[in-house]
């Protein structure tokens, strides 16, 4: 057991390289095809009319003003960028380059969340003094290896693409003499720009991003270092140190995860807010991370690793995936029901854009099917949580389904009627996913697959439910 290591061999690297190349090809084909490989322009125009009328009906004050200024400015930006980059045809069919930037942001947020959940799951086990999960602890810890690349990509993406992603970054929204002046957004300027004036460089926003990633990466390195030292030197002192650092991470994560959700996603729809949104994003991240941890565990076991992991350990993982799929649905339904029942225009417009649009309504329902109905029915029985085939199918559907969830959170507020789902989105996901897995699997192969001197190995060995 002490010498068991994951072999990140040439065959696996070749498969990830092929996946990356396939993603790149799909991305390029999406750039060549009209509308990035999805429905026709005529459909998009009809949908634009529906979205506009729905928005006007929902809020003649905030929403119409937002959409009008958003359309004027970003439509001009998209056309300008398209002409500069030689994509005039794509611009007339929905703006492939703009979709590229939005998809980049979606994948940034999605995979950052999975990395954070890996560290969150690892820290929870130590804070709760759990022993059942000892054999699989290195898997979530390896997921957190993506935190540093995620931080770099997130910061660079914001610095270069911020005007296309965040409506509040446009300076004329804060100029009282401008026809695009927005009193609601201007009232939130300190949250983004403090200590500078609204419309300048968003110091406070960028500072939060840098501080969060720095804190996450520092605590990840600390926990990883202590885990490696425990392998080499043994004893219980490192376990206690990891427990203290795990508690510190959980305290940081409790605040930073919610604020990150507000910054990176909710601020896209600047006129809309939900007091449940931090929980909603956490729930989506958490169940995705749990599904990936479970999927990797099952695949490793099938490949001959983790011989000590039994159906009892898999059952616990399956219960977590099942339970938090229901938790995500609970938060989703609570947010939807409160907004639907109150029917306040500035709140309901968020769901009007997604539920009543021909472009996004199919994704709206696919989101519910993939993230609640399917895993609920698939993992309901005890036996299903103990069988590899059911766990693999459910976890793959959840991992893909929650990418759709983040797509639905971000795309309508950024692209509106220009949004779509096609080869561009699939290609970007494959490219991000292959690089993410490369980093994770390389980290997993750099240490013993099972922490050999963990003080709770015996408890994990006799775990039975």
């Amino acid at each position: 057991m002490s010498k068991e290591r994951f072999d990140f061999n040439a065959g696996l690297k070749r498969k990830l390289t092929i996946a990356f190349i396939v993603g790149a090809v799909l991305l390029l084909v999406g750039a060549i095809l009209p509308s990035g490989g999805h429905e026709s322009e005529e459909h998009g125009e009809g949908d634009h009319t529906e979205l506009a009328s729905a928005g006007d009906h929902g809020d003649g004050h905030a929403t119409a003003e937002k959409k009008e200024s958003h359309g004027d400015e970003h439509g001009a930006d998209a056309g300008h960028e398209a002409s500069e980059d030689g994509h005039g045809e794509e611009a007339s069919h929905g703006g492939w380059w703009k979709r590229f930037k939005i998809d980049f942001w979606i994948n940034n947020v999605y995979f950052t969340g999975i990395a954070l959940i890996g560290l969150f799951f690892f820290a929870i086990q130590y804070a709760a003094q759990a022993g059942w999960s000892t054999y699989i602890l290195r898997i979530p810890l390896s997921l957190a290896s993506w935190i540093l690349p995620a931080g770099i990509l997130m910061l660079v993406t914001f610095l270069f693409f911020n005007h296309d992603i965040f409506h509040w970054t446009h300076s004329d929204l804060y100029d009282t003499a401008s026809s695009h002046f927005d009193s609601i957004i201007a009232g939130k300027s300190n949250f983004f720009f403090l200590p500078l004036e609204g419309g300048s460089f968003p110091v406070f926003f960028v500072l939060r991003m840098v501080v969060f990633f720095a804190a996450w990466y520092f605590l990840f390195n600390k926990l990883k270092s202590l885990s490696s030292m425990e392998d080499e030197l043994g004893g219980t002192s490192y376990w206690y140190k990891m427990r203290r650092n795990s508690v510190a991470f959980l305290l940081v994560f409790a605040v930073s995860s919610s604020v990150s959700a507000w910054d990176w996603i909710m601020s896209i729809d600047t006129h809309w807010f939900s007091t449940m949104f931090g929980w909603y994003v956490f729930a989506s991240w958490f169940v995705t991370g749990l599904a990936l941890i479970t999927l990797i565990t099952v695949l490793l076991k099938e490949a001959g690793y983790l011989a000590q992991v039994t159906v009892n350990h898999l059952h616990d993982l399956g219960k977590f995936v099942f339970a938090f799929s229901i938790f995500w649905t609970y938060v989703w339904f609570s947010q939807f029901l409160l907004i639907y029942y109150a029917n306040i225009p500035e709140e309901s417009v968020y769901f009007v854009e997604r539920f009543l649009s021909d472009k996004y309504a199919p994704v709206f329902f696919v989101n519910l099917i993939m993230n609640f109905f399917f895993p609920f029915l698939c993992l309901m029985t005890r036996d299903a949580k103990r069988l590899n085939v059911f766990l693999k199918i459910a976890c793959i559907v959840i991992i893909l389904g929650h990418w759709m969830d983040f797509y639905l959170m971000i795309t309508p507020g950024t692209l509106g009627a220009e949004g779509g789902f096609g080869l561009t989105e699939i290609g970007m996901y494959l490219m991000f996913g292959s690089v993410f897995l490369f980093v994770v699997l390389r980290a997993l192969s750099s240490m013993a697959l099972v922490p050999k001197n963990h003080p709770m190995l015996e408890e994990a060995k006799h775990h039975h439910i």
Side-chain angles (χ1 to χ4, degrees):
M1 180 181 66
S2 62
K3 295 182 179 180
E4 186 178 4
R5 281 181 178 268
F6 171 68
D7 180 20
F8 188 28
N9 55 48
L12 281 172
K13 293 176 182 177
R14 184 166 56 251
K15 290 177 181 177
L16 291 176
T17 302
I18 292 172
F20 182 88
I21 294 172
V22 169
V25 170
L26 291 176
L27 199 63
L28 292 175
V29 172
I32 297 170
L33 292 178
S35 299
H38 74 287
E39 60 266 41
S40 66
E41 181 184 9
E42 287 76 10
H43 178 77
E45 288 174 350
D47 191 54
H48 176 75
T49 303
E50 181 181 352
L51 280 174
S53 61
D56 293 342
H57 176 72
D59 186 3
H61 167 63
T63 307
E65 182 180 3
K66 170 191 169 186
K67 287 185 178 298
E68 182 180 346
S69 60
H70 185 282
D72 291 346
E73 293 178 342
H74 290 276
D77 290 345
H80 178 63
E81 289 164 358
S83 63
E84 285 184 341
D85 296 322
H87 294 302
E89 180 182 351
E90 286 74 16
S92 66
H93 290 281
W96 175 86
W97 177 234
K98 193 171 179 182
R99 280 175 61 186
F100 174 92
K101 290 182 272 191
I102 302 306
D103 290 339
F104 209 93
W105 186 258
I106 293 170
N107 284 282
N108 266 339
V109 175
Y110 174 83
F111 285 105
T112 297
I114 294 177
L116 289 174
I117 291 303
L119 193 55
F120 175 77
F121 183 89
F122 182 88
I124 280 285
Q125 307 311 306
Y126 282 92
Q129 304 183 61
W132 72 271
S133 57
T134 303
Y135 291 140
I136 65 169
L137 283 176
R138 292 287 161 81
I139 296 172
L141 186 63
S142 297
L143 295 183
S145 301
W146 182 252
I147 289 175
L148 179 59
I152 296 171
L153 288 172
M154 189 75 73
L155 183 60
V156 171
T157 306
F158 177 79
L159 293 177
F160 282 94
F161 299 158
N162 58 80
H163 287 317
D164 293 279
I165 301 169
F166 298 100
H167 181 59
W168 55 263
T169 58
H170 292 81
S171 58
D172 54 357
L173 296 172
Y174 307 89
D175 183 3
T176 54
S178 171
S179 60
H180 291 146
F181 173 72
D182 191 314
S183 59
I184 296 176
I185 296 178
K188 300 178 180 182
S189 61
N190 284 341
F191 183 72
F192 300 120
F193 297 97
L194 195 74
L196 303 180
E197 295 294 323
S200 55
F201 183 77
V203 175
F204 198 20
F205 181 93
V206 173
L207 181 63
R208 285 195 298 272
M209 184 185 293
V210 172
V211 169
F212 289 163
F213 273 105
W216 296 334
Y217 185 65
F218 170 79
L219 289 167
F220 160 67
N221 263 340
K222 186 71 174 177
L223 288 168
K224 183 180 179 181
S225 174
L226 288 170
S227 186
S228 297
M229 292 173 70
E230 182 186 62
D231 273 1
E232 295 175 11
L233 304 175
T236 59
S237 61
Y238 294 106
W239 184 89
Y240 284 107
K241 289 178 183 178
M242 278 190 280
R243 187 165 184 245
R244 288 194 293 270
N245 281 277
S246 293
V247 171
F249 171 77
L250 293 175
L251 292 173
V252 170
F253 183 77
V255 176
S256 58
S257 61
S258 289
V259 178
S260 297
W262 304 338
D263 281 354
W264 303 343
I265 305 176
M266 194 168 72
S267 72
I268 288 171
D269 294 276
T270 325
H271 285 249
W272 178 85
F273 68 92
S274 168
T275 55
M276 303 177 67
F277 198 78
W279 277 109
Y280 179 78
V281 172
F282 165 76
S284 194
W285 273 343
F286 192 35
V287 71
T288 310
L290 287 171
L292 186 57
I293 291 168
T294 304
L295 181 62
I296 293 175
T297 301
V298 171
L299 293 175
L300 285 174
K301 188 164 177 61
E302 289 183 343
Y305 299 98
L306 299 177
Q308 307 89 346
V309 172
T310 68
V311 291
N312 297 294
H313 301 98
L314 295 179
H315 190 179
D316 270 352
L317 288 171
K319 286 193 296 186
F320 272 116
V321 173
F322 177 77
F324 281 95
S325 292
I326 297 174
F327 175 70
W328 171 85
T329 310
Y330 165 73
V331 179
W332 181 95
F333 183 72
S334 298
Q335 180 175 261
F336 177 79
L337 184 64
L338 289 172
I339 292 174
Y340 176 84
Y341 184 77
N343 199 26
I344 300 173
E346 58 266 28
E347 293 182 355
S348 59
V349 67
Y350 182 84
F351 286 103
V352 168
E353 289 178 332
R354 290 155 176 80
F355 184 64
L356 297 181
S357 162
D358 289 341
K359 188 175 293 293
Y360 299 112
V363 182
F364 185 88
F365 291 106
V366 167
N367 186 35
L368 288 176
I369 293 169
M370 294 181 72
N371 296 324
F372 171 61
F373 290 106
F374 185 85
F376 179 79
L377 296 174
C378 184
L379 295 177
M380 182 183 295
T381 66
R382 172 183 170 86
D383 288 342
K385 300 181 188 72
R386 303 168 77 89
L387 293 174
N388 290 358
V389 62
F390 284 101
L391 288 173
K392 286 191 293 185
I393 293 172
C395 289
I396 290 171
V397 170
I398 288 170
I399 291 167
L400 297 176
H402 280 280
W403 185 92
M404 299 293 290
D405 189 31
F406 280 95
Y407 169 88
L408 199 60
M409 283 188 246
I410 295 172
T411 304
T414 51
L415 294 177
E418 294 183 352
F421 183 83
L423 299 180
T424 302
E425 286 68 31
I426 297 171
M428 183 69 76
Y429 184 67
L430 283 174
M431 291 176 68
F432 253 90
S434 57
V435 176
F436 171 80
L437 287 176
F438 186 93
V439 172
V440 169
L441 295 180
R442 186 178 63 178
L444 191 62
S445 67
S446 66
M447 61 182 78
L449 200 53
V450 175
K452 59 183 180 180
N453 288 320
H454 195 287
M456 293 190 179
L457 280 172
E458 195 66 20
E459 180 178 337
K461 180 179 179 180
H462 296 288
H463 179 63
H464 180 77
I465 54 174

